[in-house]
Amino acid sequence: MKTSCRRRVRTSVSLYCSLYFMLTGQAVRAQPGPVDPAEVREVRVTASASRSATFDLVQPASVLQGTALLLQRANTLGETLQHTPGVASSYFGPNASRPVIRGLDGDRVRVLKNGIGLSDAAALSPDHAVANDPITVERIEVLRGPAALLYGGNAVGGVVNVIDNAIASTPIHGVEGVLDLRLTGGGDRERAGAVKLDAGNGRLAIHLDAYTRRTRDLKIKGFQRTEFERTNGVAPPYCRGDEPVGSVCNSSARVEGGTAGGSITWGDGFAGVSIGSVRQAYGTIAEPDVRIKLNSDTLNLAGEVRALGPRIDALKWKFVHTDYRHTEFDLGVPATTFLNKGFEGRLEAQHGQIGRLTGTVGWQRSTARVSALGAEAFIPLSRTHSNAVFVFEEAQWGALKLSGGARAERNRVTSSGGGPLEAEPSSANLGNPRFGNGTSRSFAATSGSLGAHLGLGQGFALAGNLAYTERAPTYAELFANGPHAATAAYEVGDPALGKEKSRALDLALRWKEGAHSFGITVFQNRFRNFVSLQRTVGVVRNSEGVINPADTDGDGLDDATLTDAISTANEMRFVAVPARFRGAELEGRFRLLDSGGRLDLGLRADLTRAVNLANGAPLPRIAPARLALNLDYAQAAWSARLEMLHAVRQVRVPAGESTTPGYTVWNAALTYRFTLGSDAMPLRSMVYLKANNLFNREVRYATSIIREVAPGAGRSLQAGLRVEM
């Protein structure tokens, strides 16, 4: 083992040295350290209606970019953002996780790329990866709380916007490039690299990027399954005949992707196009013999024209077409294929000032054709069409800014049938009553919001937002009817479900002075009919939908005579219940030292409580109270971080679900900036070391549906190099 470690170290050193001598033969020059965040103008949040800086937004928002993003970046979007206030991860192992915002996930959190929706199958099932790897992302914006005004009812939880600038919106002169390399010891033993190139002559801009990532089975402390699961679990996920210990079975991955884009820029606008492709193969963890191969191809068009006249300040458009396909292979044999052909388009017009009013009117259209074909086809071939118009207005009176808007949306969801055992898309078993063949539902949804931001003087501000949102149920919530291994259940939808209606209130107090900042937000979101997937007590189905196939004594319950020869699962139904989500978020940064070097203290905390108001029971998979403290030190070309993350024990769970123990994790990072190359062509560079889970604690995420069989990563050490031209 020691020989293997030495070999990996030699390989890493050789790689970096080879890269250095390839780029330059000159001496390394230390580069000034990172710019003080207090001296940088706060970035504007492009996914918000007003595109204001985070401090001036009515809605709580966070932006992750630069070194902070580099050090926080993980393999999935959910893990990258899970330490942002109010955001957790749906964690289905190291390869599949989506952001959970204020206890809401799946279809209630809208994931965008460059301001337009991603069409994949990630919201359908927790074992489905988001079709976008964070390795090439330049910035991530998070809007917490309802954002239905701009993005529809399925943004009732919030919006996550990942930005890669594949279509340049401003002129590029000359050539710019970035090279990223990462090596990890422990954890998932990652080997990853990405390269980005932008070139332009001031009018024509070209973008190219490519990336690759390889990981092995995730290293953990102790057993993969909890003690309770090892003692009482049914059909344990044995790995090659053994109880998994020291690593998470079937969690390795291989990812490749790239994007090519081009745009024409001018003084008052731009227009461009890009094509992107993602190829990913990874294990599903819940099924040791199943691996997923994901392919997603996208075509994007975007542009903006400004200064169109006294009435219209700017006209913006974004369109994307996605062809998504992923196949689940059982022992190498194709078992189930998920397909999604999607389109989304947006037009926005920013009008000139009318009295005190400035604002935006817009139109959005989206279509999706989704199907699951094969052994685990728990959803039918479905078509979803959506059309919407929206308006957002702001008015300023001195230190008081008022905002408001409305959205009208029309959705139609149609089931075209399709049996559970069809092998090819062309052999669709139309007419299967199990999937409500030919059933079509239409929904007219309206949403609105009112907000205010008041400057109180001496760096203080008060912000509040009241929102009403209507969300149309998805094709899965309406028409699901089949076994779903990821949830270990037989899922049943309800074609009679109505619109999900909610009222949300946010109140925030913020303070900023120089390098110091602090903010606290309290929120409540009350649902009249929250669509929840809940277990049906005493009901078990086999893969054909037969209820209680092992009920030999006629008592309506499954018997102890169940054998592995009978493929069964507990029934879970989508039902509408009244629900309430409430909580608080806190974030602060304080300068402790500013002489010779800078020392900052960071503070983050959040708490979410979610209750089924019909019976007073907690809702499932809600993150516990969390606290994070970090010390950041920077001097000259060096910077360092020490971070403590603590989560309390989660005991607020519905009947039949397991609690999760609390945990405390320590992380550390060290960076050094320097310059390679000549003065005529300097290469701004940074090397970094990042240690996660220093004391190798066992971590079980309360938000994970497979927390009993998939812990978080154990101790890991990552080395990275970033070179910018």
Side-chain angles (χ1 to χ4, degrees):
M1 186 170 184
K2 292 182 179 179
T3 301
S4 176
C5 291
R6 287 195 297 268
R7 185 181 301 116
R8 286 197 292 268
V9 171
R10 287 197 301 268
T11 301
S12 303
V13 173
S14 298
L15 176 61
Y16 290 135
C17 289
S18 299
L19 178 65
Y20 165 69
F21 285 117
M22 177 182 69
L23 292 172
T24 177
Q26 301 185 28
V28 174
R29 303 186 301 280
Q31 183 178 317
V35 178
D36 187 345
E39 298 173 356
V40 180
R41 185 178 180 182
E42 196 170 11
V43 295
R44 297 188 177 275
V45 182
T46 61
S48 69
S50 62
R51 291 171 172 81
S52 299
T54 55
F55 186 84
D56 299 321
L57 280 174
V58 169
Q59 187 173 8
S62 300
V63 175
L64 192 61
Q65 63 180 358
T67 303
L69 173 58
L70 187 69
L71 296 180
Q72 198 166 319
R73 182 181 287 142
N75 294 344
T76 64
L77 192 58
E79 285 190 277
T80 298
L81 295 173
Q82 67 175 326
H83 301 304
T84 303
V87 184
S89 168
S90 63
Y91 193 74
F92 205 93
N95 303 311
S97 73
R98 278 173 54 95
V100 179
I101 301 180
R102 296 179 172 179
L104 299 173
D105 61 356
D107 188 61
R108 297 179 184 90
V109 173
R110 192 86 157 94
V111 177
L112 312 174
K113 184 173 183 179
N114 299 316
I116 196 77
L118 279 173
S119 295
D120 53 23
L124 176 64
S125 177
D127 64 327
H128 297 174
V130 176
N132 187 81
D133 196 287
I135 195 170
T136 58
V137 172
E138 294 186 6
R139 185 171 69 180
I140 304 178
E141 303 171 345
V142 180
L143 294 177
R144 302 189 296 276
L149 193 62
L150 259 65
Y151 301 107
N154 53 355
V156 63
V159 166
V160 174
N161 184 29
V162 298
I163 299 171
D164 64 4
N165 292 324
I167 298 176
S169 59
T170 56
I172 295 177
H173 298 272
V175 179
E176 304 171 358
V178 177
L179 174 68
D180 273 317
L181 296 175
R182 297 202 310 247
L183 300 171
T184 303
D188 58 10
R189 292 162 286 178
E190 177 190 35
R191 304 293 183 267
V195 59
K196 292 188 287 185
L197 183 67
D198 292 282
N201 61 5
R203 182 169 178 81
L204 176 65
I206 301 296
H207 172 93
L208 296 171
D209 70 57
Y211 61 88
T212 181
R213 176 164 54 83
R214 300 287 189 276
T215 63
R216 298 169 66 183
D217 283 352
L218 186 70
K219 288 287 187 180
I220 59 173
K221 178 183 179 180
F223 288 96
Q224 175 181 330
R225 299 194 301 155
T226 62
E227 181 179 357
F228 177 86
E229 181 70 16
R230 297 196 306 273
T231 304
N232 303 287
V234 178
Y238 287 142
C239 184
R240 294 176 288 276
D242 299 318
E243 178 74 46
V245 60
S247 64
V248 176
C249 180
N250 195 31
S251 58
S252 61
R254 184 184 74 252
V255 183
E256 295 98 15
T259 305
S263 62
I264 298 175
T265 62
W266 60 93
D268 291 321
F270 74 95
V273 60
S274 71
I275 55 174
S277 182
V278 177
R279 299 291 184 267
Q280 186 167 349
Y282 62 95
T284 63
I285 298 180
E287 301 170 276
D289 298 321
V290 175
R291 295 187 69 81
I292 290 177
K293 289 188 177 180
L294 178 158
N295 298 333
S296 180
D297 299 310
T298 56
L299 172 64
N300 289 266
L301 301 174
E304 178 180 0
V305 179
R306 296 182 290 271
L308 291 175
R311 297 297 182 187
I312 301 179
D313 285 344
L315 180 65
K316 302 180 180 182
W317 63 89
K318 295 178 181 178
F319 301 95
V320 60
H321 178 270
T322 303
D323 189 352
Y324 173 92
R325 178 188 186 102
H326 95 231
T327 302
E328 300 180 359
F329 291 82
D330 193 345
L331 291 173
V333 178
T336 307
T337 297
F338 291 85
L339 305 172
N340 186 353
K341 291 185 181 293
F343 165 83
E344 183 170 326
R346 295 175 61 87
L347 285 174
E348 296 181 25
Q350 295 180 357
H351 66 74
Q353 189 160 341
I354 304 174
R356 294 182 181 271
L357 290 178
T358 58
T360 299
V361 295
W363 165 85
Q364 179 179 340
R365 174 176 171 80
S366 63
T367 64
R369 183 182 185 273
V370 182
S371 63
L373 313 167
E376 198 186 320
F378 68 99
I379 59 167
L381 170 63
S382 304
R383 292 176 173 86
T384 302
H385 300 267
S386 174
N387 277 286
V389 292
F390 56 88
V391 59
F392 174 83
E393 299 292 335
E394 282 188 335
Q396 189 91 31
W397 285 272
L400 175 64
K401 178 173 65 176
L402 298 180
S403 65
R407 180 186 179 97
E409 189 169 348
R410 184 78 177 181
N411 296 278
R412 187 175 75 253
V413 187
T414 303
S415 166
S416 299
L421 299 176
E422 51 187 339
E424 299 292 338
S426 59
S427 63
N429 182 15
L430 301 181
N432 190 321
R434 192 177 108 188
F435 287 121
N437 175 51
T439 301
S440 181
R441 295 290 312 279
S442 294
F443 303 90
T446 58
S447 300
S449 69
L450 292 172
H453 184 281
L454 176 63
L456 302 176
Q458 298 188 8
F460 285 93
L462 185 66
N465 192 51
L466 178 65
Y468 171 78
T469 301
E470 293 183 348
R471 183 184 74 91
T474 67
Y475 55 88
E477 293 166 340
L478 292 169
F479 304 123
N481 199 332
H484 188 190
T487 57
Y490 189 102
E491 294 186 9
V492 181
D494 182 0
L497 284 173
K499 293 179 294 185
E500 186 180 79
K501 302 177 182 180
S502 66
R503 291 178 174 85
L505 175 65
D506 275 270
L507 291 174
L509 177 65
R510 301 167 189 160
W511 171 73
K512 182 174 63 174
E513 182 179 334
H516 308 291
S517 63
F518 179 81
I520 183 169
T521 302
V522 294
F523 67 88
Q524 176 172 289
N525 199 346
R526 186 159 183 155
F527 291 81
R528 178 179 173 185
N529 46 356
F530 181 78
V531 179
S532 176
L533 184 62
Q534 298 193 356
R535 187 180 305 279
T536 308
V537 178
V539 177
V540 174
R541 293 177 182 252
N542 67 10
S543 60
E544 298 300 319
V546 178
I547 296 178
N548 295 354
D551 179 18
T552 59
D553 56 10
D555 64 357
L557 302 175
D558 57 299
D559 299 332
T561 56
L562 278 175
T563 67
D564 290 340
I566 302 176
S567 178
T568 61
N570 291 302
E571 180 186 274
M572 297 186 74
R573 286 184 172 270
F574 287 99
V575 296
V577 299
R580 184 187 65 223
F581 293 74
R582 59 170 51 160
E585 300 153 358
L586 182 150
E587 186 172 20
R589 188 173 184 89
F590 307 94
R591 179 64 48 84
L592 304 180
L593 177 67
D594 201 2
S595 177
R598 298 194 307 269
L599 179 64
D600 290 342
L601 171 66
L603 168 66
R604 306 187 306 275
D606 56 31
L607 171 67
T608 300
R609 293 284 186 262
V611 179
N612 180 342
L613 296 176
N615 55 19
L619 287 173
R621 296 182 299 282
I622 302 298
R626 304 181 303 172
L627 170 68
L629 296 171
N630 60 272
L631 285 171
D632 293 298
Y633 181 76
Q635 183 176 24
W638 293 91
S639 65
R641 163 173 282 208
L642 180 64
E643 179 179 54
M644 183 276 291
L645 306 171
H646 176 70
V648 305
R649 183 184 180 194
Q650 180 56 287
V651 296
R652 295 177 54 85
V653 297
E657 292 207 5
S658 62
T659 62
T660 52
Y663 59 85
T664 300
V665 171
W666 290 85
N667 303 323
L670 179 68
T671 69
Y672 176 71
R673 296 172 180 268
F674 56 97
T675 301
L676 296 171
S678 63
D679 292 334
M681 189 176 179
L683 301 175
R684 301 178 303 277
S685 308
M686 181 175 72
V687 293
Y688 61 91
L689 291 175
K690 183 172 67 170
N692 288 334
N693 197 357
L694 280 167
F695 299 106
N696 202 29
R697 302 302 187 194
E698 181 180 286
V699 176
R700 303 274 175 176
Y701 296 112
T703 48
S704 172
I705 200 168
I706 59 168
R707 55 187 175 271
E708 293 284 352
V709 299
R715 182 190 297 115
S716 68
L717 177 65
Q718 183 179 95
L721 170 66
R722 180 178 176 89
V723 180
E724 299 181 11
M725 179 172 60

